[in-house]
Amino acid sequence: MRTTNDHAAASDVGVVPGHWQEAFEGLMSRIASRFPRVEPRRRVRQLISGLLSDLPRKNCWTLAEHAGDATPDGMQHLLHRAKWEADAIRDDIRAYVVEHLHDTEAVLVVDETGDLKKGTATVGVQRQYTGTAGRIENAQVAVYLVYSAARGHAAIDRALYVPRSWTEDPARCRGAGIPDGLAFATKPQLAARMVARALDAGTPARWVAGDEVYGDNPHLRAALEDRRTGYVLAVSSTHPLVTHAGKFQAKTLAARIPERAWQRLSAGAGAKGERYYDWAEVDIHGPTGSLGHWRLMVRRNRRTGELAFYRCFSPRPVPLSALVRVAGRRWTAEETFQASKGPTGLDEHQVRRWTSWHRWVTLAMLAHAFLAVTAAAERRDRPAPDGLIALTGNEIQHLFAALISPVHDLAHRLRWSRWRRQHQARSRDCHYRRQAASQP
């Protein structure tokens, strides 16, 4: 129970708990119609509350204990067998984020992230490169679409990358619940579908940004050009480009830029201040017969001299500073992953099948979207008192968890301790029997 003194203390630091609770209930009401039955409707509220809690680990076991359940069966049923569509909730997330962070100059950022996994049964897992580890590991990789606006950013779509080793093995796909007939799709193809889905839904966004995986792909670039959507996509140093003087690699063109052509510009504010680099641009040719403006943009680190390259397209002429701003927004995808993986459990799922993966990831995205929107509203409506920085999503989560955290008695915690130990004992015995049976 929260006392008058608690609320007075909150007010002293610029926190209005009632507004957050009201916003949370509004979000839950927004998605309530997606659940035909009242039981999953209540359960999803408990799960989202658990994802917004300060639990050190977030999975069906810990979320069920946090909700006061006797076993994790209800949470597991919600993710595996209950009747509801994760894609419908995804559409609700997109509408919610756009409604509150609306920006006609927004950037749609495409990027992938991986979760390290053991074994071979989890959907989409194989040995592959993942930036999470910085090397080839046994991992599950997914592509995300982040809506990056002036007021904040949040993921609005996701697509699990299913390698050829899976799509060429129908029995393995059926075992993981992958829909029949799912064809292999590259990461740029997944990104193109998500961007198209967002734009077709009327999402206000002028630009698309991404790293070399997406910039080096001609089909993604062509799809964006056909839609007259601008892009600033990183490309490799050997990426081929056509100019009036012929065809050259990006690094070759960069070497010919005169020193007077470089400009000192900020790619946006970072944790330690503005991120200043030297920038330059070179006009390049687009596809024959196409209308628009194409450029190679080069970024130079002012301390080390290291270069990065971006292929850019805009339907109309724009200044170099506008392209730099878009390039700087690409890092909001990394910030979104960081804010989703720990605080809202994006990577802590312990699910193996296609449906349950999409459901867990979508609900984790919803929890992060709530934090992003709430932080944006706080910055707009309730500026921080003197001497305090504005409330961040992470700080809001800590405070929100304290405000809504349920309190359970010792008997509840002891029952869960017994349940966990029984389950772990059965698992241990099962593994031992399997190991003994496999011995010669």
Side-chain angles (χ1 to χ4, degrees), residues 47 51 53 79 84 89 102 183 222 224 271 319 425:
L47 190 147
L51 291 178
S53 74
L79 296 175
W84 62 281
I89 303 294
H102 186 283
L224 296 174

Side-chain angles (χ1 to χ4, degrees), residues 245-428:
K247 189 173 184 178
F248 303 94
Q249 293 183 347
K251 61 183 178 182
T252 303
L253 289 177
R256 298 182 178 184
I257 297 174
E259 190 60 33
R260 65 179 180 277
W262 293 91
Q263 300 182 44
R264 179 177 179 264
L265 296 168
S266 171
K272 299 181 180 179
E274 297 292 328
R275 294 174 292 161
Y276 284 104
Y277 296 90
D278 290 333
W279 301 84
E281 58 182 342
V282 178
D283 288 334
I284 60 175
H285 291 178
T288 303
S290 298
L291 299 176
H293 300 266
W294 287 264
R295 279 171 282 183
L296 169 69
M297 183 171 65
V298 185
R299 185 191 73 196
R300 184 175 68 187
N301 188 295
R302 295 177 60 82
R303 183 173 59 84
T304 66
E306 181 183 6
L307 300 179
F309 308 91
Y310 302 84
R311 183 165 182 151
C312 309
F313 164 77
S314 60
R316 299 179 300 278
V318 295
L320 176 62
S321 58
L323 300 178
V324 170
R325 178 188 67 83
V326 178
R329 288 283 186 84
R330 183 166 70 88
W331 297 109
T332 57
E334 295 295 335
E335 293 172 2
T336 298
F337 295 150
Q338 184 178 10
S340 300
K341 285 196 170 185
T344 63
L346 182 70
D347 63 337
E348 295 184 4
H349 60 84
Q350 294 181 355
V351 294
R352 292 188 173 186
R353 295 173 62 81
W354 173 270
T355 297
S356 52
W357 181 88
H358 282 83
R359 290 180 172 187
W360 176 278
V361 167
T362 301
L363 295 178
M365 287 167 49
L366 181 69
H368 174 260
F370 169 74
L371 295 176
V373 166
T374 303
E378 286 293 323
R379 289 191 293 269
R380 181 195 63 202
D381 301 333
R382 287 172 287 279
D386 292 341
L388 299 179
I389 66 167
L391 283 165
T392 63
N394 282 0
E395 192 63 28
I396 288 171
Q397 186 211 11
H398 293 316
L399 294 173
F400 187 72
L403 291 168
I404 68 170
S405 177
V407 178
H408 301 302
D409 58 22
L410 178 60
H412 173 75
R413 299 190 180 279
L414 290 173
R415 285 194 297 269
W416 262 92
S417 174
R418 179 179 178 82
W419 188 92
R420 278 193 298 269
R421 290 159 58 201
Q422 284 180 331
H423 183 88
Q424 290 163 351
R426 289 195 298 268
S427 297
R428 180 196 60 194

Side-chain angles (χ1 to χ4, degrees), residues 2 6-11 14-23 378 382 399-400 403-404:
R2 305 301 164 193
D6 291 334
H7 289 281
S11 179
V15 174
V16 184
H19 288 168
W20 297 355
Q21 188 70 38
E22 182 180 347
E378 286 293 323
R382 287 172 287 279
L399 294 173
F400 187 72
L403 291 168
I404 68 170

Side-chain angles (χ1 to χ4, degrees), residues 19 24 60 80 178 284:
H19 288 168
F24 178 73
C60 286
H80 293 278
I178 295 176
I284 60 175

